[in-house]
Amino acid sequence: MSDNQNIYVLLTDTGTMFTKLIKRITAAPYNHASLALDENLNEVFSFGRKCANNPWIGGFVEEDVYEGTFRHFPGTRCALLRLQVTREQFEAARRVIQSYKDEEDAYGYNLIGMFGVLMRLDITRERSYFCSQFVAEAMKQSRIHLWDRPSSAVTPNDFFQHPAFEVIYEGMLYDYPLLDQSRLAGFQYPLQTASS
């Protein structure tokens, strides 16, 4: 049995007005980051919308790529990044995620910190994260060291550009070949990207 495992970072662009604003500032292709524990995207976690049609209520979320926010934005584009880690790091990441799940209601969304990172300011708030801050912090807590800077200074594009990650898929989220096709059966989505 191999001592190595993979974890994944799912970067997405839903094409909403809010994400278009962020894209205008960053010029980066993706503006949301999620941590996935499997390549089939059955275990995906982030900090984001608690309610698909309300961008102002946010916190720790277990994301379902077939329902929720992604179903509301079927033109979502994505990049799936793979990172090889040790079995110990993978198990540590699973424990870290479980600790967030156990105290889900105690966490909030760090909206101020997100705007801070766009302006290159380090703004942290206790028990509050924005998406890429959470992914970076969960990795750091799992002893996966990628940067010598605070997690609050990490953007989704930093993952995309980091040489340790391998891009294994880029395109429309619902075209990702390892998704459960039976759960997508009969589902229509725009042929153009959400941001066009």
Short mmCIF file of all heavy atoms in Angstrom, two decimals, residues 92-114:
data_model
loop_
_atom_site.label_atom_id
_atom_site.label_comp_id
_atom_site.label_asym_id
_atom_site.label_seq_id
_atom_site.Cartn_x
_atom_site.Cartn_y
_atom_site.Cartn_z
N ALA A 92 -4.54 13.80 8.68
CA ALA A 92 -4.60 15.04 9.45
C ALA A 92 -5.61 16.00 8.84
O ALA A 92 -6.39 16.65 9.55
CB ALA A 92 -3.22 15.69 9.53
N ALA A 93 -5.62 16.09 7.50
CA ALA A 93 -6.58 16.96 6.81
C ALA A 93 -8.01 16.50 7.10
O ALA A 93 -8.90 17.33 7.33
CB ALA A 93 -6.31 16.97 5.31
N ARG A 94 -8.24 15.20 7.11
CA ARG A 94 -9.58 14.68 7.41
C ARG A 94 -9.99 15.07 8.84
O ARG A 94 -11.13 15.47 9.07
CB ARG A 94 -9.60 13.17 7.23
CG ARG A 94 -10.99 12.58 7.32
CD ARG A 94 -11.02 11.11 6.97
NE ARG A 94 -10.90 10.85 5.56
CZ ARG A 94 -11.86 11.09 4.66
NH1 ARG A 94 -13.00 11.65 5.04
NH2 ARG A 94 -11.68 10.78 3.39
N ARG A 95 -9.06 14.99 9.78
CA ARG A 95 -9.36 15.37 11.17
C ARG A 95 -9.63 16.88 11.28
O ARG A 95 -10.53 17.30 12.01
CB ARG A 95 -8.21 14.98 12.10
CG ARG A 95 -8.12 13.48 12.36
CD ARG A 95 -7.15 13.15 13.49
NE ARG A 95 -5.79 13.61 13.23
CZ ARG A 95 -4.88 12.91 12.57
NH1 ARG A 95 -5.17 11.70 12.08
NH2 ARG A 95 -3.66 13.40 12.39
N VAL A 96 -8.85 17.67 10.56
CA VAL A 96 -9.05 19.13 10.58
C VAL A 96 -10.44 19.47 10.05
O VAL A 96 -11.18 20.25 10.65
CB VAL A 96 -7.94 19.85 9.77
CG1 VAL A 96 -8.31 21.30 9.50
CG2 VAL A 96 -6.60 19.76 10.49
N ILE A 97 -10.81 18.87 8.92
CA ILE A 97 -12.14 19.11 8.35
C ILE A 97 -13.22 18.70 9.35
O ILE A 97 -14.22 19.42 9.53
CB ILE A 97 -12.31 18.32 7.03
CG1 ILE A 97 -11.40 18.90 5.94
CG2 ILE A 97 -13.76 18.34 6.57
CD1 ILE A 97 -11.72 20.29 5.50
N GLN A 98 -13.05 17.57 9.99
CA GLN A 98 -14.04 17.10 10.96
C GLN A 98 -14.20 18.09 12.11
O GLN A 98 -15.31 18.33 12.58
CB GLN A 98 -13.67 15.71 11.50
CG GLN A 98 -14.75 15.09 12.36
CD GLN A 98 -16.06 14.89 11.61
OE1 GLN A 98 -16.07 14.31 10.52
NE2 GLN A 98 -17.16 15.39 12.18
N SER A 99 -13.09 18.70 12.52
CA SER A 99 -13.18 19.67 13.62
C SER A 99 -13.99 20.89 13.19
O SER A 99 -14.75 21.45 13.99
CB SER A 99 -11.79 20.08 14.11
OG SER A 99 -11.13 20.90 13.17
N TYR A 100 -13.86 21.31 11.93
CA TYR A 100 -14.68 22.42 11.43
C TYR A 100 -16.15 21.99 11.36
O TYR A 100 -17.05 22.76 11.71
CB TYR A 100 -14.20 22.87 10.04
CG TYR A 100 -12.99 23.77 10.08
CD1 TYR A 100 -11.71 23.24 9.95
CD2 TYR A 100 -13.10 25.15 10.23
CE1 TYR A 100 -10.58 24.05 9.98
CE2 TYR A 100 -11.99 25.98 10.25
CZ TYR A 100 -10.73 25.41 10.12
OH TYR A 100 -9.63 26.23 10.16
N LYS A 101 -16.40 20.77 10.90
CA LYS A 101 -17.77 20.27 10.81
C LYS A 101 -18.42 20.21 12.19
O LYS A 101 -19.59 20.56 12.35
CB LYS A 101 -17.79 18.88 10.16
CG LYS A 101 -17.52 18.90 8.68
CD LYS A 101 -17.33 17.51 8.12
CE LYS A 101 -18.61 16.74 7.99
NZ LYS A 101 -18.42 15.46 7.27
N ASP A 102 -17.64 19.77 13.18
CA ASP A 102 -18.18 19.62 14.54
C ASP A 102 -18.60 20.96 15.14
O ASP A 102 -19.49 21.00 16.00
CB ASP A 102 -17.15 18.95 15.46
CG ASP A 102 -16.93 17.49 15.12
OD1 ASP A 102 -17.75 16.90 14.38
OD2 ASP A 102 -15.90 16.93 15.58
N GLU A 103 -17.94 22.04 14.72
CA GLU A 103 -18.25 23.36 15.28
C GLU A 103 -18.70 24.33 14.20
O GLU A 103 -18.48 25.54 14.29
CB GLU A 103 -17.02 23.91 16.00
CG GLU A 103 -16.59 23.08 17.19
CD GLU A 103 -15.47 23.73 17.97
OE1 GLU A 103 -15.51 24.97 18.14
OE2 GLU A 103 -14.55 23.01 18.38
N GLU A 104 -19.37 23.80 13.20
CA GLU A 104 -19.76 24.58 12.02
C GLU A 104 -20.44 25.91 12.37
O GLU A 104 -20.13 26.95 11.79
CB GLU A 104 -20.71 23.72 11.17
CG GLU A 104 -21.29 24.40 9.98
CD GLU A 104 -22.23 23.50 9.21
OE1 GLU A 104 -22.21 22.27 9.42
OE2 GLU A 104 -22.99 24.04 8.41
N ASP A 105 -21.34 25.90 13.33
CA ASP A 105 -22.10 27.11 13.66
C ASP A 105 -21.27 28.17 14.37
O ASP A 105 -21.71 29.31 14.52
CB ASP A 105 -23.31 26.74 14.52
CG ASP A 105 -24.33 25.92 13.73
OD1 ASP A 105 -24.34 26.01 12.49
OD2 ASP A 105 -25.10 25.18 14.37
N ALA A 106 -20.08 27.81 14.82
CA ALA A 106 -19.22 28.76 15.53
C ALA A 106 -18.38 29.61 14.58
O ALA A 106 -17.71 30.53 15.02
CB ALA A 106 -18.30 28.02 16.50
N TYR A 107 -18.44 29.30 13.28
CA TYR A 107 -17.59 29.99 12.31
C TYR A 107 -18.40 30.96 11.46
O TYR A 107 -19.58 30.72 11.16
CB TYR A 107 -16.90 28.98 11.39
CG TYR A 107 -15.85 28.17 12.09
CD1 TYR A 107 -16.13 26.88 12.53
CD2 TYR A 107 -14.59 28.70 12.33
CE1 TYR A 107 -15.16 26.13 13.19
CE2 TYR A 107 -13.62 27.95 12.98
CZ TYR A 107 -13.92 26.67 13.42
OH TYR A 107 -12.96 25.95 14.06
N GLY A 108 -17.75 32.04 11.07
CA GLY A 108 -18.37 33.02 10.19
C GLY A 108 -17.51 33.25 8.96
O GLY A 108 -16.42 32.71 8.81
N TYR A 109 -18.03 34.07 8.07
CA TYR A 109 -17.34 34.39 6.82
C TYR A 109 -16.55 35.67 7.00
O TYR A 109 -17.07 36.68 7.47
CB TYR A 109 -18.34 34.53 5.67
CG TYR A 109 -17.65 34.61 4.33
CD1 TYR A 109 -17.18 33.47 3.70
CD2 TYR A 109 -17.43 35.84 3.72
CE1 TYR A 109 -16.53 33.54 2.48
CE2 TYR A 109 -16.78 35.92 2.50
CZ TYR A 109 -16.33 34.77 1.89
OH TYR A 109 -15.67 34.85 0.68
N ASN A 110 -15.29 35.65 6.60
CA ASN A 110 -14.40 36.81 6.76
C ASN A 110 -14.46 37.69 5.50
O ASN A 110 -13.51 37.76 4.72
CB ASN A 110 -12.96 36.32 7.02
CG ASN A 110 -12.02 37.46 7.35
OD1 ASN A 110 -12.43 38.59 7.52
ND2 ASN A 110 -10.75 37.13 7.44
N LEU A 111 -15.58 38.38 5.33
CA LEU A 111 -15.76 39.23 4.16
C LEU A 111 -14.76 40.37 4.15
O LEU A 111 -14.17 40.69 3.11
CB LEU A 111 -17.19 39.78 4.12
CG LEU A 111 -17.57 40.61 2.90
CD1 LEU A 111 -17.49 39.77 1.63
CD2 LEU A 111 -18.96 41.19 3.06
N ILE A 112 -14.51 40.96 5.32
CA ILE A 112 -13.54 42.05 5.41
C ILE A 112 -12.14 41.54 5.03
O ILE A 112 -11.39 42.20 4.32
CB ILE A 112 -13.54 42.67 6.82
CG1 ILE A 112 -14.88 43.34 7.09
CG2 ILE A 112 -12.39 43.65 7.00
CD1 ILE A 112 -15.09 43.76 8.52
N GLY A 113 -11.80 40.35 5.50
CA GLY A 113 -10.50 39.76 5.17
C GLY A 113 -10.35 39.48 3.69
O GLY A 113 -9.26 39.63 3.14
N MET A 114 -11.47 39.08 3.05
CA MET A 114 -11.40 38.82 1.61
C MET A 114 -11.08 40.12 0.86
O MET A 114 -10.24 40.13 -0.03
CB MET A 114 -12.72 38.23 1.11
CG MET A 114 -12.63 37.81 -0.34
SD MET A 114 -14.24 37.59 -1.08
CE MET A 114 -14.83 39.26 -1.11
#
